[in-house]
């Protein structure tokens, strides 16, 4: 397995693989890898011969009061996990390699980014789109794998790739969960034992709402939203948002909506967790 810290070396590697006719998949991550990330690697294997995992805790997607300095890092363990999972190369640049001190160019997606997480994290998606564009230019992949765990991120990246004509197929892989339903996340490490015991209420509340939505043709979304908030608060969470949206557009569900995204962000202590489920509206899906 090759490990690159330098953009030019990463590009040279990819150009060489491409010249040999290989398809390259990239799995962008912030490291502190877990089974959710490895599921993306497994998905990547289905689409490409060469798998590149990028590991970069991207400073520009953290707000000034967020957890950039505290974000968990374990380079040795990440490298070991990638090697064990047959990753071909890791791209793990320093911040200075990605952002020279006079960096001044941004990629901004304007329609989807201000919704959901964008309300409490107004500069987050600007950081995400910019770094993903840069990672695409460093790795030069044919395919990129993202997780449904970050549902809004997946939509924003899809829009960026379409709008800016990146010749890259975007694949979205399903959420990997712990046995008790908590979505795997590097940030779960922050949870105290008590918070960790409380956090599975997130998926329980989402599943209950999903079941209701799937069962009934007409639904009172406001009531459903209030019910999820009630359950999260009763379970010890502090709600940032609970949103019920069209899964394709993030708009309020309308007559044409067939897949509904139920997305939440909720604090347990100081740790902000996100999760989501999709409800297929059966009555409409058949039309
Ligand atoms: P992160 O390192 O948290 O920025 O995540 C890197 C990629 O892994 C993103 O595309 C995430 O959506 C994805 N990911 C993170 N956690 C999970 C999970 N539990 N299941 C599936 N994908 C995940």
């Amino acid at each position: 397995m090759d490990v690159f810290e330098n953009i030019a070396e990463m590009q040279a590697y990819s150009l060489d693989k491409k010249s040999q006719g290989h398809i390259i998949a990239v799995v962008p991550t912030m490291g502190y890898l877990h089974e959710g990330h490895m599921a993306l690697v497994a998905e990547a294997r289905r689409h490409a011969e060469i798998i590149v995992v990028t590991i970069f805790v991207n400073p520009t997607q953290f707000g000034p009061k967020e957890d950039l300095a505290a974000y968990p890092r374990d380079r040795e363990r990440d490298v070991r996990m990638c090697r064990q999972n047959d990753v071909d190369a890791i791209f793990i640049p320093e911040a200075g390699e990605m952002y020279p001190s006079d960096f001044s160019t941004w990629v901004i997606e304007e329609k989807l980014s201000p919704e959901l997480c964008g309300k409490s994290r107004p500069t987050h998606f600007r950081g995400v789109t910019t770094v993903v564009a840069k990672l695409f230019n460093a790795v030069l992949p044919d395919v990129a794998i993202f997780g449904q765990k970050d549902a809004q991120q997946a939509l924003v990246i899809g829009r960026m790739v379409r709008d800016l004509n990146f010749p890259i197929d975007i694949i979205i892989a399903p959420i990997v969960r712990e046995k008790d339903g908590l979505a795997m996340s590097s940030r779960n490490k922050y949870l105290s034992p008590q918070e960790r015991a409380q956090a599975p209420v997130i998926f329980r509340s989402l599943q209950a709402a999903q079941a209701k939505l799937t069962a009934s043709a007409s639904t009172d979304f406001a009531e459903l939203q209030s019910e999820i908030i009630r359950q999260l608060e009763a379970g010890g969470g502090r709600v940032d948002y609970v949103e019920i949206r069209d899964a394709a557009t993030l708009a309020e569900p309308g007559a044409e909506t067939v897949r509904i995204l139920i997305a939440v962000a909720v604090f347990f202590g100081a740790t902000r967790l996100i999760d989501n489920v999709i409800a297929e509206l059966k009555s409409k899906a058949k039309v």
Side-chain angles (χ1 to χ4, degrees), residues 4-12 91 93 97-98 134 137-138:
F4 300 107
E5 297 183 1
N6 173 282
I7 294 169
E9 285 174 12
M10 183 69 247
Q11 288 168 331
F91 179 54
E97 176 72 6
M98 294 293 276
K134 287 172 65 63
N137 283 332

Side-chain angles (χ1 to χ4, degrees), residues 138-212:
V139 177
L140 305 170
D142 303 285
V143 183
I145 321 289
F146 292 88
Q148 177 61 20
K149 162 79 167 34
D150 297 83
Q152 185 180 8
Q153 169 175 278
L155 289 173
V156 168
I157 299 293
R159 181 66 61 91
M160 175 188 83
V161 162
R162 189 205 67 183
D163 286 353
L164 299 185
N165 311 105
F166 282 95
I168 299 172
D169 289 334
I170 303 297
I171 310 277
I172 310 302
I175 302 176
V176 178
R177 300 179 179 282
E178 304 285 358
K179 284 202 175 62
D180 59 12
L182 179 63
M184 289 192 183
S185 166
S186 309
R187 288 189 165 99
N188 292 348
K189 177 185 160 61
Y190 298 145
L191 299 170
S192 70
Q194 191 203 348
E195 290 158 2
R196 175 63 188 80
Q198 291 172 324
V201 70
I202 301 173
F203 187 49
R204 284 201 304 274
S205 70
L206 286 172
Q207 272 187 310
Q210 183 187 39
K212 274 195 189 148

Side-chain angles (χ1 to χ4, degrees), residues 20-140:
Q20 296 170 38
H22 293 313
I23 303 290
I24 301 175
V26 69
V27 179
T29 81
M30 297 211 300
Y32 210 73
L33 301 176
H34 52 66
E35 288 308 314
H37 297 116
M38 290 307 119
L40 304 191
V41 168
E43 180 64 27
R45 186 60 74 197
R46 299 178 45 205
H47 303 273
E49 289 102 28
I50 300 293
I51 300 174
V52 181
V53 171
T54 70
I55 298 176
F56 181 59
V57 183
N58 173 38
T60 64
Q61 70 191 67
F62 288 78
K65 293 185 184 144
E66 292 180 2
D67 55 342
L68 172 62
Y71 197 84
R73 294 163 170 87
D74 190 340
R75 180 182 169 127
E76 294 312 312
R77 186 170 150 277
D78 287 349
V79 169
R80 207 177 331 121
M81 266 181 98
C82 286
R83 191 171 282 124
Q84 285 165 356
N85 284 270
D86 293 331
V87 169
D88 296 280
I90 296 180
F91 179 54
I92 180 164
E94 296 286 341
E97 176 72 6
M98 294 293 276
Y99 296 107
S101 56
D102 57 351
F103 183 87
S104 58
T105 305
W106 298 92
V107 177
I108 301 174
E109 187 289 317
E110 295 187 332
K111 183 85 166 89
L112 305 168
S113 301
E115 304 292 328
L116 312 184
C117 288
K119 295 209 168 101
S120 53
R121 308 184 75 191
T123 60
H124 173 67
F125 286 110
R126 176 185 83 151
V128 169
T129 42
T130 301
V131 82
V132 170
K134 287 172 65 63
L135 292 170
F136 285 172
N137 283 332
V139 177
L140 305 170

